[in-house]
Amino acid sequence: MKIVITATKPQTDGLVDPRFGRAQYFILMEAETQQWEALENPAIAQSGGAGVAAAQFIIDKHVDAVVSGDFGPNASRALGGADIKMFLFSPEVDTVQSAVDLFKQDKLQQFK
Amino acid sequence: MKPIQIAVASGKGGTGKTTIATSLALSLAEKYHVAYLDCDVEAPNGHLFLHPEFNTSTEAVIRIPRIDKNRCTLCGKCVEVCQFHALAKVGKTIMVFPQLCHGCGSCTWNCPEHAIEEIPNPIGVLESGKARQDFHYAHGTLTISEPMATPIIRQLKRLEIPPQTAISILDAPPGASCSVVETLRGSDFALLVTEPTPFGLHDLGQMQGIVEEMRIPAGVIINRENGDYLPLLEYCTKHHLPVMLRVPFERRIAEGVARGQTLVEIYPEYRQCFLDLFDSIAVLANQ
Ligand code: SF4
Ligand code: SF4
């Protein structure tokens, strides 16, 4: 399963980024093998439509789920349309790794 | 004859721009046929001072794409060319996000399959009518939350105004964005309202850059002046910006404005100042 976590730094021990459309980085991870790569968010400097641009970027990576702090109406419509599941950070989440761990334990709430 | 078009602008909100614009309109309306256009479509407020009676109302629309699924090959060209990210390729469909669409038409132009038709999407309301002293008044109000000010300002400026109009006064939105540029477009003169503070000076600098680029003659009105603020005066001299009016900081004015009064209602003697101001504008605009 391929997941994306929004992050402030291009590494898994950095803090998560609560924003989706304007997240600094996307950490793309294969949940089973924990292999990951950091991608810069191409939408970060957009004056408008950052949510849709970021969603398109994620959709084109064919991921299964995204974990972030919140999803705007446009981003969630696009991601939902592509059958990508959305999950929200819980208060315990600080680093990207902690988000991955909680996600794998099924402890994160799904965004609907 | 084409009316002389004066835009009243300021870098930020709260400089008293509307007080100046409405007072100018009220003063000139005694002598000339005036039209007042409130172009601050995100927060129009001129009507609170001028109390117009609207007799026409039209919908402002932009044209947004509708994709014909039978023709669309999902090539993705439209998504690529849309600089506003109002389109996304999601699975086997092209999704349209009407609230992000600026109606620019790029997607329609670039679709190789002619799979896009354009349908109207309302973005706001344009209203016009008469204000006190019989002058023409019009404003637009955005009804959607997205920053789609430019198309509605363009449509507001295209509304018909009475043929005898000699002067049109445009109250520009605050800031230094595309909507200000759209308001200034075609103006014969720009009145830049500023406050004598470092912030005011910074914003005036931005506005000066815009009017210079657009080659619109401009002058400055210093509002809420509390003694000479030298950096501002030096800036104006350096950039050949005439200081056309200086309004002191006074409690009586602030209180009057808070009650919905314009400057000329608080101090009728300003009427002559605004008439003189217009004479200077007429000269400067023709140079
Ligand atoms: S009309 Fe312009 S803004 Fe609207 S979807 Fe097409 S390309 Fe994007
Ligand atoms: S450009 Fe035309 S054919 Fe290509 S994806 Fe868009 S609508 Fe479909």
Side-chain angles (χ1 to χ4, degrees):
Chain A
M1 184 181 209
K2 242 163 129 181
I3 61 170
V4 159
I5 300 101
T6 52
T8 55
K9 296 221 165 61
Q11 67 233 19
T12 51
D13 53 3
L15 293 180
V16 296
D17 195 323
R19 303 159 302 177
F20 173 70
R22 293 190 194 282
Q24 294 285 337
Y25 294 95
F26 295 123
I27 305 290
L28 180 63
M29 188 181 277
E30 191 61 63
E32 288 75 28
T33 62
Q34 298 248 15
Q35 263 191 352
W36 61 273
E37 68 176 310
L39 306 165
E40 270 179 46
N41 177 6
I44 193 159
Q46 301 292 342
S47 56
V52 175
Q56 183 73 70
F57 181 72
I58 300 291
I59 291 168
D60 294 343
K61 301 276 175 224
H62 304 287
V63 307
D64 302 289
V66 182
V67 194
S68 187
D70 199 10
F71 298 90
N74 295 326
S76 58
R77 199 182 133 214
L79 292 170
D83 286 325
I84 295 175
K85 291 195 174 64
M86 291 161 269
F87 291 88
L88 299 170
F89 297 138
S90 62
E92 303 90 80
V93 170
D94 47 20
T95 62
V96 170
Q97 190 60 51
S98 71
V100 174
D101 295 342
L102 288 162
F103 174 78
K104 287 174 85 173
Q105 295 161 26
D106 233 354
K107 290 213 173 115
L108 297 182
Q109 188 199 335
Q110 194 167 346
F111 175 91
K112 290 230 157 86
Chain B
M1 211 185 79
K2 198 178 150 285
I4 173 164
Q5 183 177 316
I6 305 169
V8 184
S10 72
K12 65 174 175 81
T15 56
K17 175 176 55 69
T18 302
T19 321
I20 300 292
T22 51
S23 296
L24 179 67
L26 284 171
S27 309
L28 299 187
E30 288 174 15
K31 241 177 115 176
Y32 308 94
H33 286 286
V34 171
Y36 187 97
L37 267 58
D38 190 347
C39 296
D40 186 0
V41 297
E42 278 172 69
N45 62 354
H47 60 285
L48 303 175
F49 295 92
L50 297 173
H51 312 287
E53 276 181 32
F54 293 118
N55 50 31
T56 62
S57 167
T58 37
E59 208 167 51
V61 296
I62 57 170
R63 304 185 66 78
I64 66 167
R66 181 157 68 191
I67 319 280
D68 179 348
K69 280 198 154 193
N70 296 324
R71 287 188 160 203
C72 173
T73 56
L74 295 169
C75 73
K77 187 82 193 151
C78 53
V79 178
E80 205 180 293
V81 299
C82 178
Q83 54 172 316
F84 301 105
H85 303 289
L87 297 170
K89 185 175 153 191
V90 175
K92 295 231 170 316
T93 48
I94 299 293
M95 234 183 220
V96 182
F97 295 85
Q99 283 148 312
L100 296 174
C101 174
H102 285 231
C104 72
S106 290
C107 51
T108 315
W109 267 95
N110 284 286
C111 172
E113 308 298 331
H114 303 289
I116 303 182
E117 71 163 324
E118 294 180 344
I119 54 169
N121 185 46
I123 53 166
V125 183
L126 305 170
E127 290 173 298
S128 66
K130 283 208 176 314
R132 277 182 298 175
Q133 297 181 341
D134 215 30
F135 66 83
H136 183 78
Y137 187 97
H139 72 181
T141 315
L142 268 180
T143 46
I144 53 173
S145 55
E146 311 309 315
M148 214 72 70
T150 318
I152 186 167
I153 293 171
R154 203 178 303 135
Q155 289 172 38
L156 176 66
K157 287 172 71 178
R158 260 196 242 127
L159 278 188
E160 223 173 288
I161 57 172
Q164 70 274 24
T165 305
I167 306 166
S168 58
I169 296 170
L170 276 58
D171 187 4
S177 58
C178 336
S179 50
V180 178
V181 173
E182 189 58 48
T183 305
L184 285 167
R185 206 184 300 281
S187 291
D188 301 292
F189 196 84
L191 269 179
L192 309 178
V193 184
T194 189
E195 277 183 331
T197 63
F199 290 121
L201 182 53
H202 168 264
D203 291 340
L204 178 65
Q206 284 190 322
M207 291 305 302
Q208 202 273 336
I210 295 176
V211 295
E212 190 173 275
E213 190 150 312
M214 298 181 78
R215 296 167 185 278
I216 298 173
V220 170
I221 293 186
I222 305 177
N223 196 23
R224 302 202 195 107
E225 194 171 42
N226 202 351
D228 283 354
Y229 177 60
L230 285 177
L232 175 60
L233 300 177
E234 281 162 10
Y235 180 89
C236 292
T237 314
K238 189 168 155 226
H239 289 88
H240 308 289
L241 281 173
V243 176
M244 307 188 72
L245 182 68
R246 302 164 79 156
V247 183
F249 180 82
E250 259 187 57
R251 210 187 158 128
R252 187 166 148 199
I253 299 179
E255 285 172 355
V257 170
R259 279 195 305 271
Q261 283 184 299
T262 63
L263 182 58
V264 289
E265 288 164 302
I266 303 162
Y267 281 118
E269 48 273 41
Y270 271 103
R271 220 170 275 163
Q272 191 55 47
C273 300
F274 282 108
L275 285 165
D276 295 344
L277 175 76
F278 174 68
D279 291 339
S280 312
I281 290 176
V283 173
L284 292 167
N286 277 323
Q287 272 173 9

